[in-house]
Amino acid sequence: MDFVLRCEMPVDLLVVSELLGNEHKFSFEGREIVLKLSKRYFSSDDDEPDQEASKIARCVGWSKEPSGKRAVHISIEKLFLTVQVLDSDDIDVASEMVISEAKTSDLFWEKNTPQRFQEAGRKLSNIASRAFDYWCRVTRWKTGLSYFGLPLERHEAHPGWRYLASVDPLEYVASFNDTATIHVLPSVTVQEWEVIQESLQAGVQTSLWIDTFHESNRRLAAGDVRGAYLDAAVSAESFIRHKLMQSVAALPATETAIRKRIESWNMTDVLSRFDKISTLSSLDLSREQLANLRSVFDTRNAIMHGKHVDLKEAELKVMLKSVKALVDK
């Protein structure tokens, strides 16, 4: 018996239909974790549509074939993550508890107290959340889907009904309803699914520059332009400093002065000497890309120093392409 986290996605995961029923298995904090896609999905084209599956997954793309339409793309709303239950969790489970659905609950509570289950459940729930976060970060990394697994709604700072009034503000003439934006992600392919499994199985951790790059894209889409600029700068700087420290890794351990100098080296100075540092020049960035990176750091510095900055979404979108060119190396 496993502890299950049913994950409701803020933005649906789009997959090719071949991935239905597939799973990722990996170890996390000493437990076996399984992330599974349900085989069930709703399709209005089916003779008997699975109505109960409509909130788990839905067919959103078909292909025409001689035998009729074939499901190609499936939009996944709910994912299922299971955490292995260990003897040390002190949850008494037995096979007879799942033989009869009618007796399952009664049999379980005959052998377990609510207090003991709550304590174990809290621990397992926290592990499940951390494992799912890890899976999402690896999935964003290996697919480039920045929005996946993250909240994307633009939060209205001052929510409320908006309308046109003449004299009395309580009497409206016409109400205003803004258009809704629906974000659609590209489909995860079978090849990407396999690459994700390889990384999870190897226990590879995502880098700070990868996580903050995707968070910057997510914040930009959610309307937090200032936060997006800050994360973009953190992404670029952490990667550049990583490359700089790699360049002095072969120096003797006693050479602490040069390491400290590089750790505190101003990013503006680093970028002005980018072509003169072999570790960085090998990244082969264009002049335009370097100029965009300077703009990211200049904007970040202005924000951090309390200056007024006219932040523009369109400009940041261009700059993020240069950050991607850097951190994707």
Side-chain angles (χ1 to χ4, degrees):
M1 194 172 290
D2 297 313
F3 187 88
V4 180
L5 169 62
R6 188 178 73 174
C7 311
E8 299 185 11
M9 307 308 299
V11 179
D12 285 7
L13 174 67
L14 202 64
V15 301
V16 293
S17 58
E18 291 86 347
L19 286 177
L20 288 173
N22 272 249
E23 59 187 31
H24 282 148
K25 288 185 178 181
F26 57 101
S27 295
F28 185 85
E29 297 185 7
R31 314 264 180 160
E32 182 179 89
I33 306 295
V34 179
L35 188 291
K36 188 165 186 175
L37 303 180
S38 175
K39 290 182 179 179
R40 297 175 61 185
Y41 68 93
F42 172 82
S43 174
S44 58
D45 275 12
D46 289 347
D47 294 333
E48 296 182 9
D50 186 352
Q51 297 291 346
E52 292 184 4
S54 62
K55 292 189 177 180
I56 296 175
R58 302 176 307 282
C59 180
V60 295
W62 300 263
S63 68
K64 291 183 178 180
E65 297 184 355
S67 58
K69 283 187 176 180
R70 182 180 70 86
V72 176
H73 296 114
I74 309 297
S75 187
I76 308 290
E77 184 176 336
K78 291 182 176 64
L79 300 166
F80 299 87
L81 182 140
T82 63
V83 179
Q84 178 187 16
V85 176
L86 303 178
D87 291 341
S88 58
D89 295 322
D90 200 22
I91 298 177
D92 196 342
V93 294
S95 58
E96 61 266 22
M97 291 181 184
V98 293
I99 292 174
S100 168
E101 291 186 10
K103 294 182 178 180
T104 296
S105 182
D106 291 340
L107 287 170
F108 181 81
W109 292 117
E110 283 176 10
K111 296 179 178 292
N112 296 275
T113 65
Q115 181 180 356
R116 192 173 70 186
F117 177 67
Q118 284 299 316
E119 291 174 356
R122 187 174 296 109
K123 178 175 69 175
L124 289 166
S125 178
N126 289 335
I127 293 172
S129 293
R130 291 193 294 272
F132 184 65
D133 178 66
Y134 170 54
W135 181 80
C136 284
R137 285 188 286 115
V138 172
T139 299
R140 287 194 292 270
W141 175 27
K142 293 301 180 180
T143 63
L145 305 178
S146 295
Y147 311 151
F148 176 69
L150 296 171
L152 196 56
E153 292 182 3
R154 286 180 176 250
H155 298 287
E156 178 58 62
H158 306 287
W161 188 19
R162 295 159 193 254
Y163 53 85
L164 189 69
S166 66
V167 179
D168 187 343
L170 294 178
E171 298 295 332
Y172 81 96
V173 175
S175 61
F176 169 76
N177 295 299
D178 204 356
T179 56
T181 301
I182 298 176
H183 295 274
V184 179
L185 299 174
S187 291
V188 174
T189 64
V190 173
Q191 291 76 16
E192 288 173 329
W193 187 263
E194 291 172 351
V195 169
I196 294 167
Q197 174 64 72
E198 291 172 5
S199 298
L200 293 168
Q201 209 160 17
V204 179
Q205 295 295 322
T206 56
S207 305
L208 175 62
W209 49 88
I210 292 295
D211 287 342
T212 48
F213 169 74
H214 290 302
E215 177 63 10
S216 180
N217 278 283
R218 198 277 305 178
R219 287 193 174 198
L220 180 60
D224 181 8
V225 184
R226 181 173 61 182
Y229 264 104
L230 297 178
D231 276 322
V234 171
S235 175
E237 180 166 353
S238 61
F239 179 81
I240 290 172
R241 291 200 184 281
H242 164 71
K243 298 299 289 185
L244 288 173
M245 295 310 296
Q246 275 188 332
S247 67
V248 297
L251 292 176
T254 53
E255 294 287 352
T256 57
I258 189 169
R259 285 189 173 87
K260 288 183 178 178
R261 173 67 185 274
I262 287 178
E263 285 174 358
S264 59
W265 199 358
N266 182 282
M267 276 296 108
T268 302
D269 291 338
V270 172
L271 288 176
S272 65
R273 294 167 173 78
F274 207 87
D275 293 336
K276 297 179 176 63
I277 306 168
S278 59
T279 308
L280 300 181
S281 62
S282 64
L283 298 174
D284 197 29
L285 296 183
S286 68
R287 288 186 178 181
E288 181 183 359
Q289 289 170 331
L290 287 173
N292 286 333
L293 292 176
R294 289 191 191 94
S295 295
V296 170
F297 289 124
D298 288 345
T299 304
R300 186 272 306 271
N301 294 340
I303 292 171
M304 297 303 291
H305 295 153
K307 296 180 180 178
H308 173 72
V309 185
D310 185 16
L311 303 174
K312 296 179 180 178
E313 293 186 30
E315 290 181 0
L316 181 54
K317 286 180 181 178
V318 174
M319 294 176 191
L320 277 171
K321 291 181 181 178
S322 297
V323 176
K324 178 179 173 60
L326 177 71
V327 302
D328 261 3
K329 300 294 184 183

